[in-house]
């Protein structure tokens, strides 16, 4: 087994282990980022967070929208426990992408990430996300425009999938992005057409890594320490981004650094979801938003344990936030540690 350097690298260039939290639209908002990064008194093991994507169309995005996605720009560009948060932009036009990136940095973003990986049909139809993977010259032009618009010292990073239909061109894609001046590249080891279906293809990440000099961050199904070690072996990558795996196993970032923390139980998840909902409401979010986001967290945590899966099955039909939260009270859960059989949410 490879020994992983436990120091927290804030970039994949720095000494130590780089383990970032993946952006996940609909759940990894600032409240979630705060909850996760404050665990263990802030010693959460997370190197970096990336905001949910900010959609850029024809105009520079207004400050209000940037703030909504990434209020951390007002607090030094980090979560309350000091983990940097990059703002992620999604769009197909170099000019508004560049002016929006400049605005994000002027507002306090410590870095900008460009999303060329989103597989959503609505986004792809309107010239955003993974669609651009089909046009390497456009990947380069957009990356270069954003790079030019922000100070040299500000990282501009890019997140992609392996390709649109297959992984055959991943080297060309990576080279175009490097040519555009990206600081590093994160690759989700699936194609656009694959959606989220198995299998992940970590070996194609390795091909891209060998084609460029910039660091390549591996992403996709890195849900356990064993999976991350296997990915390291197969892709040769030493920097990682974790998404869905963090929803049910938030201690993974610490476990990777050698901490022997046990898996958290259902009581923990209930408590977190209660607080998550409460804080979304306090921040002006509607009950419908809080309900949707809590269900999304539960859905993504479900694969981590049978207990969480049981919670999701029971609570996914909750029609309103109050009934979901009632179902998340310890008395609604016969056993908070194992073999959970939840009483249905009223
Ligand atoms: C619900 C959901 C929302 C996502 N939203 C984003 C997003 O806003 N930006 C982005 O670059 N990737 C997004 N992704 C992709 C993830 O960042 C990540 O690349 C993908 O889930 C694979 O990693 P994982 O297996 O660790 O989850 C999203 C994924 C999910 C499941």
């Amino acid at each position: 087994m490879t020994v992983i350097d436990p120091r927290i690298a804030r970039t994949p260039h720095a000494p130590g282990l780089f383990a970032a939290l993946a952006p996940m639209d609909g759940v990894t908002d600032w409240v979630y980022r705060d909850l996760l990064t404050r665990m263990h008194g802030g010693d959460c093991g997370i190197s970096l967070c990336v905001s949910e994507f900010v959609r850029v169309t024809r105009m520079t995005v207004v400050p209000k929208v940037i703030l909504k996605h990434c209020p951390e720009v007002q607090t030094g560009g980090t979560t309350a426990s000091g983990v940097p948060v990059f703002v992620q932009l999604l769009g197909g036009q170099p000019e508004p992408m560049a002016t929006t990136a400049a605005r994000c940095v002027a507002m306090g973003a410590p870095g900008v990430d460009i999303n060329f990986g989103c597989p959503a049909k609505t986004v792809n139809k309107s010239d955003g996300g993974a669609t651009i993977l089909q046009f390497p010259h456009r990947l380069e032009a957009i990356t270069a425009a954003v790079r030019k618009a922000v100070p040299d010292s500000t990282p501009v990073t890019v997140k992609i999938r392996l390709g649109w239909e297959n992984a055959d061109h991943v080297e060309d894609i990576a080279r175009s992005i490097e040519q555009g001046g990206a600081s590093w590249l994160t690759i989700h080891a699936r194609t656009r057409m694959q959606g989220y279906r198995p299998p992940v293809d970590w070996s194609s990440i390795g091909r891209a890594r060998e084609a460029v000099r910039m660091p390549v961050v591996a992403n996709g199904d890195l849900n356990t320490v064993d999976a991350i070690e296997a990915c390291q072996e197969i892709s040769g990558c030493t920097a990682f981004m974790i998404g869905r795996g963090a929803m049910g196993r938030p201690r993974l970032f610490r476990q990777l650094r050698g901490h022997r923390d046990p898996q958290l139980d259902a009581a923990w998840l209930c408590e977190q979801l209660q607080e998550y909902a409460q804080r979304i409401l306090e921040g002006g979010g509607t009950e419908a938003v809080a309900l949707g986001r809590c269900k999304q967290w539960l859905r993504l945590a479900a694969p981590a344990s049978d207990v969480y899966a049981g919670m999701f099955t029971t609570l996914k039909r909750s029609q309103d936030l109050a009934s979901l939260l009632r179902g998340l009270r310890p008395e609604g859960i016969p056993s908070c540690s194992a073999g959970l059989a939840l009483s249905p949410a009223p």
Side-chain angles (χ1 to χ4, degrees):
M1 174 196 126
T2 334
V3 176
I4 295 181
D5 185 337
R7 284 174 295 173
I8 296 182
R10 294 290 177 208
T11 76
H13 304 89
L17 169 66
F18 180 85
L21 174 69
M24 286 182 287
D25 187 45
V27 65
T28 60
D29 52 20
W30 74 273
V31 179
Y32 176 84
R33 295 192 290 269
D34 183 52
L35 287 172
L36 209 69
T37 56
R38 70 165 55 195
M39 288 181 72
H40 300 275
D43 187 15
C44 59
I46 298 175
S47 295
L48 174 77
C49 298
V50 179
S51 79
E52 296 166 279
F53 69 80
V54 174
R55 184 74 174 101
V56 182
T57 50
R58 269 176 287 174
M59 312 285 277
T60 311
V61 173
V62 295
K64 193 175 152 197
V65 172
I66 296 168
L67 270 180
K68 186 172 157 236
H69 285 78
C70 193
E72 292 97 333
V73 294
Q74 290 181 308
T75 55
T78 71
T79 66
S81 33
V83 178
V85 186
F86 285 9
V87 178
Q88 187 181 69
L89 303 182
L90 184 154
Q93 295 304 312
E95 180 63 21
M97 286 288 280
T99 52
T100 303
R103 178 168 280 170
C104 291
V105 174
M107 287 172 69
V112 175
D113 186 63
I114 306 174
N115 178 332
F116 291 134
C118 181
K121 278 198 180 118
T122 44
V123 167
N124 294 163
K125 269 193 207 143
S126 57
D127 197 36
T131 295
I132 324 278
L133 294 175
Q134 299 169 102
F135 312 103
H137 64 284
R138 295 187 63 201
L139 296 171
E140 180 179 337
I142 296 166
T143 308
V146 171
R147 175 67 280 166
K148 212 170 136 213
V150 304
D152 290 350
S153 56
T154 304
V156 170
T157 61
V158 173
K159 183 162 176 286
I160 62 170
R161 286 179 172 240
L162 292 172
W164 179 260
E165 204 156 342
N166 56 53
D168 292 357
H169 308 291
V170 71
E171 292 98 329
D172 294 337
I173 289 171
R175 280 191 211 103
S176 303
I177 290 164
E178 182 168 63
Q179 196 63 32
S183 309
W184 67 83
L185 173 66
T186 303
I187 307 182
H188 175 188
R190 289 186 171 86
T191 64
R192 152 64 173 77
M193 296 311 269
Q194 199 182 345
Y196 284 88
R197 288 189 305 278
V200 277
D201 173 8
W202 296 323
S203 67
S204 291
I205 297 184
R207 282 179 21 233
R209 186 186 63 75
E210 282 171 10
V212 292
R213 281 188 302 274
M214 68 181 159
V216 169
V217 179
N219 169 242
D221 291 11
L222 303 179
N223 300 331
T224 60
V225 173
D226 285 350
I228 291 167
E229 284 172 357
C231 172
Q232 180 172 16
E233 189 77 25
I234 292 168
S235 67
C237 290
T238 52
F240 308 96
M241 178 178 267
I242 299 162
R244 292 165 296 172
M247 307 302 296
R249 295 192 178 92
R251 286 175 159 170
L252 183 53
F253 298 92
R254 281 168 54 84
Q255 289 163 345
L256 256 185
R257 301 177 192 280
H259 291 273
R260 293 183 180 278
D261 306 325
Q263 159 94 325
L264 286 154
D265 61 17
W268 164 82
L269 187 57
C270 291
E271 221 173 79
Q272 295 296 297
L273 285 163
Q274 296 272 3
E275 190 175 346
Y276 184 52
Q278 188 58 38
R279 288 180 58 188
I280 289 174
L281 298 179
E282 283 165 11
T286 62
E287 291 203 359
V289 167
L291 177 68
R293 286 182 172 258
C294 285
K295 283 188 187 175
Q296 183 75 301
W297 184 339
L298 262 176
R299 180 176 79 83
L300 297 174
S305 87
D306 292 347
V307 179
Y308 297 167
M311 288 168 69
F312 178 60
T313 306
T314 309
L315 297 174
K316 69 181 177 191
R317 286 191 196 85
S318 306
Q319 297 287 331
D320 54 65
L321 186 63
S323 61
L324 180 98
L325 295 181
R326 271 197 302 277
L328 287 170
R329 281 206 294 259
E331 59 269 27
I333 303 173
S335 156
C336 274
S337 52
L340 187 68
L342 276 176
S343 56

